[in-house]
């Protein structure tokens, strides 16, 4: 609740109002001076506006922080979602269980790794034997053609250059074919001329 103004004549008498009345009565101050002092000074108005501006800026800053927090929460929603965390926790637990099992069998695993694998048979049920025979045939065929396949793979980087060489060779071959055809035609013409000459020799004799 606002305090009563000492200039307001309708308000209840107080010490400040009585003092002002005494000063006016004694002529120390006039009523006009008191009326002027009632008006709010411009500096106080500017201070009030500055305070309001500061409050608005603080509110804007607070809202900006809230918006940033909401955006961050939206971006990380799929990461911190309970279902995602539960799935991740389950995966970690499975990996942990697997590592524990490996550590428990560390000695046996080390012995198996140190033990040579030669002269050992892999157990296989009889119904899969025919498939194994076919698989071995494919493996033998693959091994036989392995060098060819590797050579093909090694030639892949030079494929463009080889194509250019092949194109040049084909162009030269076309030229040679044309020259051969022309030479064959000349030979045929020469033979015909020789036949004509041979047929005219007896007549001349």
């Amino acid at each position: 609740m606002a305090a009563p103004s000492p200039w307001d004549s309708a308000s209840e008498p107080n010490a400040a109002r009585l003092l002002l009345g005494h000063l006016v009565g004694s002529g120390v101050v006039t009523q006009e001076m008191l009326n002027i002092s009632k008006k709010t000074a411009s500096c106080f108005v500017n201070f009030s506006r500055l305070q309001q501006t500061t409050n608005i800026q603080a509110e804007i800053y607070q809202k900006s922080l809230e918006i940033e927090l909401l955006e961050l929460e939206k971006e990380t929603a799929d990461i911190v979602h309970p279902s995602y965390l539960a799935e991740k926790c389950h995966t970690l637990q499975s990996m942990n269980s697997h590592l524990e099992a490996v550590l428990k069998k560390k000695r046996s695993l080390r012995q198996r790794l140190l033990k040579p694998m030669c002269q050992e048979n892999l157990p296989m049920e009889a119904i899969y034997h025919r498939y194994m025979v076919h698989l071995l045939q494919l493996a033998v065929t693959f091994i036989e053609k392995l060098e060819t396949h590797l050579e093909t793979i090694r030639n892949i980087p030079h494929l463009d250059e080889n194509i250019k060489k092949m194109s040049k060779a084909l162009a030269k071959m076309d030229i040679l074919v044309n020259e051969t055809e022309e030479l064959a035609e000349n030979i045929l013409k020469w033979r015909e001329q020789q036949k004509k000459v041979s047929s005219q020799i007896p007549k001349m004799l």
Side-chain angles (χ1 to χ4, degrees):
M1 183 176 178
S5 176
W7 288 277
D8 191 1
S9 58
S11 60
E12 296 181 358
N14 52 25
R17 187 168 180 275
L18 293 175
L19 177 60
L20 290 174
H22 178 70
L23 292 174
V24 171
S26 61
V28 177
V29 294
T30 62
Q31 188 64 37
E32 288 78 6
M33 294 173 64
L34 293 178
N35 292 335
I36 292 172
S37 64
K38 287 182 182 180
K39 298 179 181 180
T40 305
S42 58
C43 62
F44 294 105
V45 174
N46 294 333
F47 179 78
S48 177
R49 291 177 180 175
L50 180 61
Q51 185 66 30
Q52 291 178 357
T53 304
T54 304
N55 294 336
I56 292 173
Q57 289 178 349
E59 186 176 357
I60 291 173
Y61 179 73
Q62 182 67 25
K63 296 298 181 183
S64 299
L65 290 178
E66 292 178 0
I67 292 172
E68 290 180 1
L69 289 175
L70 290 174
E71 290 179 351
L72 181 62
E73 183 178 357
K74 182 180 179 181
E75 292 176 356
T76 58
D78 55 342
I79 299 176
V80 299
H81 196 272
S83 61
Y84 179 83
L85 293 177
E87 182 181 356
K88 194 171 183 180
C89 183
H90 178 70
T91 304
L92 291 175
Q93 288 178 352
S94 300
M95 292 177 62
N96 188 27
S97 301
H98 177 70
L99 292 174
E100 287 180 355
V102 170
L103 290 175
K104 288 180 181 179
K105 298 180 180 180
K106 180 179 179 181
R107 181 175 297 178
S108 61
L109 289 173
R110 181 178 295 176
Q111 291 177 355
R112 286 180 60 185
L113 291 173
L114 294 175
K115 186 178 179 181
M117 298 296 294
C118 61
Q119 297 180 356
E120 289 189 0
N121 297 324
L122 296 176
M124 183 177 294
E125 297 181 9
I127 57 175
Y128 299 117
H129 286 182
R130 57 177 180 175
Y131 301 111
M132 192 63 192
V133 172
H134 181 62
L135 180 61
L136 289 175
Q137 292 176 353
L138 293 176
V140 171
T141 304
F142 176 77
I143 292 172
E144 289 176 351
K145 297 182 179 180
L146 180 60
E147 188 63 30
T148 305
H149 296 329
L150 292 176
E151 186 66 25
T152 303
I153 293 172
R154 284 193 289 266
N155 289 332
I156 288 176
H158 308 288
L159 186 60
D160 294 337
E161 185 178 356
N162 293 335
I163 290 175
K164 291 180 180 179
K165 291 181 179 179
M166 188 178 295
S167 299
K168 292 180 180 179
L170 289 174
K172 291 181 179 179
M173 188 178 294
D174 290 337
I175 294 173
L176 291 174
V177 168
N178 293 330
E179 292 178 353
T180 303
E181 290 178 353
E182 185 177 356
L183 181 60
E185 290 178 358
N186 293 332
I187 291 172
L188 291 174
K189 290 179 181 180
W190 180 79
R191 284 182 179 179
E192 290 178 357
Q193 291 176 357
Q194 290 296 322
K195 286 180 180 180
K196 289 180 180 180
V197 171
S198 299
S199 61
Q200 290 177 0
I201 289 175
K203 294 179 181 180
M204 293 175 63
L205 294 174

